Amino acid sequence: MKVDQTVDAKGLSCPMPVVKAKKAIDSMEPGQVMELLSTDKGSVKDFQSWVKQTNHELIKHEEEDGVYKFYVRKN
Amino acid sequence: MSAKMVTSDQVFKDILAKKDVFILDVRNEEEYNDWKIEGKTVTSLNIPYFDFLDGTEAHLDKLPKDKPILVVCAKEGSSKFVADQLVEAGLDASYLQGGMKEWSQYYYATPVVEEDNFKLYQVNRVSKGCLSYVVVSDGEALVLDPARHVDEYIQLAEKDGAKITHILDSHLHADHISGARDLVEKTGAKYYLMKSEGANYDHEALEDYDEIKFNNVKVEVLAVKTPGHTPGSVSFFINDKYLLSGDTIFVGGLGRPDLGGKVKEWAQDLYNTVFEKIAEIADDVLVLPAHFADIKSEMADNGIVGETLGNIRKNNEIMQTTDKDAFLAEVEKSASSVKPPNFEKIVGINRGELTPSSEEAVELEIGPNRCAVHHTA
């Protein structure tokens, strides 16, 4: 998968992962893919709700060694 | 300008004082629907914090301009983020210190009885609906059903210049982690629990006691085999006036008998408990249970969750259902299938089979007050 922008929010807690993701996606073109890396378990569901609500597409998400990775295509 | 921080204690004291509390809960919808801060004078509104990423404007018409707004989230960060924006927009907003995580660990202690050498405190873990008790007499204290944050009890006893010498669990809990063993370690007190509960650590078997003598306090051990989520629950009758009823009788009903997979057998036991043992206890005895389900209806204006046995009998149809078949049918029917979150792990911990880290313990206990499921309607 081609990633256009990576947002590294590791070590940051709520609300920063979503705040940073929003900032990045605002600067991107429709169809581009953003990767979010976060270690904050608490914001996993928030991030999913936010993606759904803003009509972007959550392509996939996975967890690896405590790092949550989300791939979102901008609408 | 940034928003002020408010503690759980301040919030609960406002609820007790019947002040209007307007809560803007900025967690996601699922978490909000699962559990939230409740009270008679609480109004709450859920708008997730990520809806505030584009500013406050879209939401201002839903928020009061003329009264304080308390913003609440899971751990504090997001509520501060939103509250600061609201203050910028000219509203009177503050945020809850430590968020719902801190709220889940908030305890409120209030005296039920204060006599010269006999004091009885109810300790309310508000978010979980869990009630524990501290009895103080002549420099000694007895703690019943301590929850995990045991310093609450140690400090309460210390304030009365007492040392904790007796610790009791009314049963092996399924909805929260017992603080009993930790408290035993810190105080060296004697720990009592029914042997039939199957705990695999040292304790005095309550089966061997009819009464625990404790200075001026007579604690009668009513070892009722309580139909419920455990095979051996106990109620304690103090000085013939206060019935610390564990999970047997609640202000709003009876303990559920379905968690052991033997609902018919235990419902039968419950019938015998209610119409043989409890029937002999006088109407003016104050019942002090180990849980509440609905703080709005079960907590009195003085902050105490309790009710006279007479009123409980009068207000609960099931307590008047002397026809055995009708009673059994009702109790079996109303046994719900929703179980307390993580209850298998919590039982394992309380039995001494699992040892969680303190972080795991917080996670396991966080969440809704599902004590409601112990009740039959």
Side-chain angles (χ1 to χ4, degrees):
Chain A
M1 190 190 330
K2 180 178 167 285
V3 170
D4 297 289
Q5 210 180 121
T6 293
V7 175
D8 185 354
K10 293 198 293 284
L12 299 176
S13 60
C14 252
M16 289 323 286
V18 187
V19 169
K20 292 191 90 165
K22 144 101 178 152
K23 216 177 223 172
I25 230 163
D26 281 352
S27 73
M28 290 163 60
E29 299 295 327
Q32 288 189 319
V33 173
M34 175 189 70
E35 176 188 42
L36 172 72
L37 309 175
S38 167
T39 46
D40 182 35
K41 195 177 163 199
S43 55
V44 167
K45 266 194 191 136
D46 299 339
F47 185 71
Q48 290 167 338
S49 306
W50 172 74
V51 171
K52 207 168 145 194
Q53 195 175 303
T54 45
N55 287 322
H56 301 305
E57 183 198 346
L58 183 59
I59 304 165
K60 68 167 183 172
H61 68 103
E62 58 198 18
E63 195 212 324
E64 210 182 287
D65 300 329
V67 179
Y68 301 90
K69 298 179 178 180
F70 296 91
Y71 298 90
V72 178
R73 181 173 287 120
K74 177 167 176 166
N75 181 12
Chain B
M1 226 179 32
S2 55
K4 319 183 280 292
M5 188 170 77
V6 169
T7 63
S8 291
D9 188 52
Q10 284 168 281
V11 176
F12 189 67
K13 299 228 161 109
D14 279 352
I15 294 173
L16 274 182
K18 293 211 162 28
K19 287 191 194 159
D20 280 337
V21 178
F22 185 93
I23 292 177
L24 171 63
D25 193 319
V26 297
R27 292 172 301 155
N28 64 54
E29 198 183 338
E30 193 184 326
E31 285 171 356
Y32 175 77
N33 289 335
D34 211 19
W35 72 304
K36 55 180 173 284
I37 298 177
E38 292 175 294
K40 269 184 197 158
T41 53
V42 173
T43 313
S44 80
L45 174 70
N46 176 224
I47 305 175
Y49 67 87
F50 41 83
D51 284 2
F52 286 87
L53 291 174
D54 284 319
T56 53
E57 217 153 278
H59 312 295
L60 286 179
D61 56 338
K62 284 171 258 164
L63 299 168
K65 317 267 172 307
D66 52 351
K67 58 178 171 188
I69 299 168
L70 176 68
V71 188
V72 171
C73 71
K75 289 178 184 166
E76 184 184 298
S78 304
S79 61
K80 185 175 185 323
F81 169 77
V82 173
D84 283 346
Q85 287 188 45
L86 296 180
V87 168
E88 287 283 327
L91 299 181
D92 180 6
S94 55
Y95 62 94
L96 179 66
Q97 180 183 31
M100 291 301 277
K101 183 178 166 188
E102 208 42 53
W103 179 251
S104 81
Q105 308 183 48
Y106 171 68
Y107 293 69
Y108 172 73
T110 188
V112 180
V113 189
E114 279 183 293
E115 290 168 8
D116 276 352
N117 48 27
F118 170 58
K119 284 185 187 167
L120 170 59
Y121 296 94
Q122 182 176 67
V123 183
N124 187 342
R125 186 174 180 190
V126 181
S127 66
K128 299 288 291 176
C130 292
L131 304 165
S132 42
Y133 296 89
V134 177
V135 181
V136 180
S137 176
D138 276 349
E140 286 189 30
L142 173 153
V143 183
L144 171 62
D145 288 331
R148 198 162 55 80
H149 306 89
V150 298
D151 289 341
E152 300 280 337
Y153 309 99
I154 294 172
Q155 283 162 15
L156 194 60
E158 271 173 6
K159 261 202 328 211
D160 279 321
K163 188 181 177 325
I164 296 173
T165 50
H166 298 68
I167 299 165
L168 294 82
D169 261 325
S170 60
H171 62 289
L172 197 98
H173 303 281
D175 61 295
H176 67 276
I177 297 169
S178 170
R181 274 180 301 152
D182 195 13
L183 198 53
V184 167
E185 239 165 69
K186 289 187 168 151
T187 61
K190 258 193 186 176
Y191 175 42
Y192 302 78
L193 173 72
M194 288 286 269
K195 201 168 184 179
S196 62
E197 294 292 76
N200 66 0
Y201 43 83
D202 278 351
H203 61 273
E204 295 286 317
L206 272 173
E207 281 93 336
D208 299 341
Y209 293 81
D210 292 327
E211 201 177 299
I212 297 168
K213 278 272 186 200
F214 163 65
N215 292 334
N216 296 298
V217 185
K218 184 179 100 180
V219 182
E220 209 178 319
V221 179
L222 295 186
V224 290
K225 189 180 162 200
T226 313
H229 43 269
T230 66
S233 288
V234 178
S235 295
F236 300 94
F237 198 16
I238 298 186
N239 288 355
D240 296 323
K241 278 188 191 161
Y242 309 97
L243 183 64
L244 275 48
S245 58
D247 278 11
T248 304
I249 303 178
F250 300 110
V251 171
L254 296 171
R256 69 189 272 185
D258 66 309
L259 283 178
K262 292 181 183 168
V263 61
K264 282 199 192 311
E265 195 179 310
W266 289 2
Q268 185 102 6
D269 286 346
L270 183 60
Y271 180 87
N272 296 339
T273 300
V274 170
F275 296 107
E276 287 169 21
K277 294 199 172 167
I278 305 296
E280 287 182 7
I281 298 176
D283 274 348
D284 62 353
V285 163
L286 185 65
V287 174
L288 297 163
H291 287 303
F292 61 83
D294 176 19
I295 196 164
K296 297 192 282 287
S297 63
E298 294 181 53
M299 187 174 74
D301 287 347
N302 58 9
I304 294 168
V305 179
E307 184 56 275
T308 62
L309 187 54
N311 282 341
I312 290 178
R313 285 192 185 114
K314 202 165 70 194
N315 298 334
N316 287 286
E317 209 176 309
I318 193 72
M319 300 286 284
Q320 301 150 19
T321 309
T322 49
D323 180 89
K324 199 168 186 172
D325 290 336
F327 179 94
L328 296 183
E330 188 55 36
V331 168
E332 287 167 25
K333 189 177 73 189
S334 55
S336 132
S337 64
V338 187
K339 294 181 166 60
N342 306 315
F343 87 103
E344 277 156 332
K345 264 196 183 154
I346 289 176
V347 165
I349 291 165
N350 286 339
R351 233 180 230 148
E353 290 158 358
L354 301 168
T355 311
S357 70
S358 65
E359 204 174 303
E360 280 163 351
V362 172
E363 286 290 322
L364 283 170
E365 287 196 326
I366 223 158
N369 164 2
R370 231 173 245 140
C371 303
V373 298
H374 300 308
H375 294 220
T376 63

